[in-house]
Amino acid sequence: MSLNWSMVLAIGLGGFLGAIARAYAVHFTNKFFPLEFPLGILLVNLIGSFIIGILFAYFSHYTVSVNLKAFLTTGFLGALTTYSTFAIESYLLFGTSIYLALTNIALNLIGTIAAAGGGFKLMHFFLK
């Protein structure tokens, strides 16, 4: 895979849309579920992980352009999910509740891996 202008543009556009989607998803989650726990970030990480599992299963069955793959995975999902926000929120939770901090870490790490695997397995099931 070479990084040409069309791929850079695809990643940039995907990132633009993914970042906006994350902002809205986190905003509305926090608005309707005002918790001390960072539920919005957890949800975008779980959903994004599930979607990337679906996409990778799809890509293993069908030929898709490298630009579309880059747009969806590196761009959109890379901006939708956010490890840096997860990291700082976990760190800050240690200051108020070690229980919430460890819960956040466990749910994000284990949950996102399970969501990616679940999406991958589900898509393989439907593609049989």
Side-chain angles (χ1 to χ4, degrees):
M1 173 177 85
S2 68
L3 210 58
N4 55 44
W5 280 108
S6 62
M7 183 172 293
V8 169
L9 184 60
I11 291 168
L13 181 58
F16 172 77
L17 295 172
I20 292 169
R22 179 182 70 218
Y24 274 103
V26 170
H27 169 76
F28 284 114
T29 300
N30 292 340
K31 179 179 177 179
F32 293 110
F33 302 99
L35 306 172
E36 196 175 329
F37 186 81
L39 182 62
I41 293 300
L42 174 61
L43 288 177
V44 295
N45 285 340
L46 290 171
I47 291 166
S49 296
F50 184 74
I51 292 170
I52 205 164
I54 288 172
L55 290 175
F56 268 70
Y58 185 87
F59 298 156
S60 72
H61 282 79
Y62 299 101
T63 302
V64 178
S65 79
V66 293
N67 287 348
L68 180 58
K69 287 180 188 177
F71 169 83
L72 292 170
T73 59
T74 305
F76 185 81
L77 292 175
L80 175 69
T81 61
T82 170
Y83 188 81
S84 58
T85 304
F86 155 70
I88 193 63
E89 287 182 341
S90 296
Y91 173 78
L92 293 172
L93 280 173
F94 275 114
T96 58
S97 168
I98 193 164
Y99 171 75
L100 285 179
L102 292 176
T103 299
N104 189 48
I105 292 166
L107 288 174
N108 271 280
L109 293 179
I110 295 166
T112 56
I113 293 168
F120 189 85
K121 292 283 190 184
L122 181 67
M123 193 62 169
H124 269 293
F125 174 78
F126 285 117
L127 292 175
K128 284 186 179 182

